[in-house]
């Protein structure tokens, strides 16, 4: 994995390495295993960004579980959130009475998780928790906590391990951070 990549003449540096991610994913899975022992949670991956994280996470989890996906769109093709969340793909599973674990790649403004929370609570799950690989510090718009956080990061633009820049670079194996301009 290169330490630096250049996209549209903008340099990005490795911020969280493959190895750091791998270790943290194992820790989160162990915590989830303990918390959900004897239960059968449904992991709900939020597309597109969480597809790699949820794939790695559920393969480390050993409790019986089900997996489903929802797709939202809030980001356009750039680095700035449009501020509006829309449902693009609904869940296929029955949420009512089930233990639900929503899996996000990153919580930035919190608009997406807030929307998801309201949407899922309306279906009366037995419980609802959130897992996010990344959490940007100082998120202003939510009044509940993210239960399992991989890494807290400053509010900077990051890519890789599922996170895109103009829909590209999701396949980078590490998380890269845009280098601050000099
Ligand atoms: P929020 O609704 O502002 O919390 O943003 C949620 C979604 O925006 C995430 O699931 C990502 O898909 C996208 N996003 C937020 N911050 C970044 C970033 O730094 N890089 C790439 N995508 C991001």
């Amino acid at each position: 994995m290169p330490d630096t990549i250049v996209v549209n003449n903008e340099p990005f540096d490795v911020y969280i390495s493959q190895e750091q991610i791998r270790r943290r994913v194992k820790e989160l899975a162990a915590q989830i295993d303990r918390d959900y022992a004897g239960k059968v949670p449904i992991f709900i991956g939020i597309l597109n960004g969480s597809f790699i994280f949820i794939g790695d996470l559920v393969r480390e989890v050993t409790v019986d579980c089900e997996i489903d996906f929802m797709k939202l769109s809030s980001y356009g093709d750039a680095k700035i959130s449009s501020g509006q969340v829309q449902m693009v793909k609904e869940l296929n599973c029955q949420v009512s009475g089930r233990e639900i674990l929503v899996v996000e790649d990153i919580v930035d403004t919190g608009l997406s998780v807030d929307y998801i929370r309201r949407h899922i609570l309306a279906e009366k799950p037995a419980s609802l928790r959130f897992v996010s690989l990344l959490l940007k510090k100082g998120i202003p718009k939510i009044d509940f906590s993210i239960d399992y956080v991989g890494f807290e990061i400053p509010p900077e633009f990051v890519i890789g391990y599922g996170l895109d820049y103009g829909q590209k670079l999701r396949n980078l194996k590490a998380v890269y951070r845009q280098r601050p301009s000099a």
Side-chain angles (χ1 to χ4, degrees), residues 49 74-75 81 85 104-113 136 156-159 163-164:
S74 67
Y75 263 49
S81 168
V85 181
E104 263 285 21
D105 53 351
I106 188 165
V107 176
D108 179 6
T109 63
L111 281 173
S112 305
V113 283
K136 288 193 189 173
E156 292 171 13
F157 186 68
V158 289
I159 56 173
L163 292 144
D164 73 304

Side-chain angles (χ1 to χ4, degrees), residues 73-88:
S73 76
S74 67
Y75 263 49
D77 273 345
K79 293 185 227 161
I80 311 290
S81 168
S82 66
Q84 287 197 332
V85 181
Q86 279 181 321
M87 170 89 66
V88 181

Side-chain angles (χ1 to χ4, degrees), residues 86-128:
Q86 279 181 321
M87 170 89 66
V88 181
K89 181 208 164 294
E90 246 297 6
L91 288 171
N92 290 326
C93 63
Q94 291 296 321
V95 161
S96 169
R98 301 295 305 270
E99 320 283 345
I100 305 297
L101 263 166
V102 171
V103 183
E104 263 285 21
D105 53 351
I106 188 165
V107 176
D108 179 6
T109 63
L111 281 173
S112 305
V113 283
D114 190 53
Y115 176 95
I116 294 161
R117 184 167 176 269
R118 280 185 281 113
H119 186 78
I120 292 181
L121 285 180
E123 304 288 322
K124 308 234 177 307
S127 69
L128 172 61

Side-chain angles (χ1 to χ4, degrees), residues 34-91:
R34 283 194 296 275
D35 294 351
Y36 288 85
K39 299 181 174 149
V40 184
I42 309 178
F43 286 85
I44 296 179
I46 309 302
L47 296 171
N48 293 335
S50 78
F51 78 111
I52 293 180
F53 177 42
I54 192 172
D56 284 348
L57 184 68
V58 295
R59 283 178 298 169
E60 294 295 341
V61 161
T62 61
V63 287
D64 252 356
C65 63
E66 297 175 26
I67 298 157
D68 198 1
F69 292 93
M70 252 169 96
K71 182 165 174 157
L72 302 181
S73 76
S74 67
Y75 263 49
D77 273 345
K79 293 185 227 161
I80 311 290
S81 168
S82 66
Q84 287 197 332
V85 181
Q86 279 181 321
M87 170 89 66
V88 181
K89 181 208 164 294
E90 246 297 6
L91 288 171

Side-chain angles (χ1 to χ4, degrees), residues 1-2 5 52 159-163 169-176:
M1 270 270 92
I5 54 166
I52 293 180
I159 56 173
Y161 197 73
L163 292 144
L169 300 159
R170 294 189 194 275
N171 55 328
L172 290 170
K173 291 179 178 146
V175 172
Y176 288 72

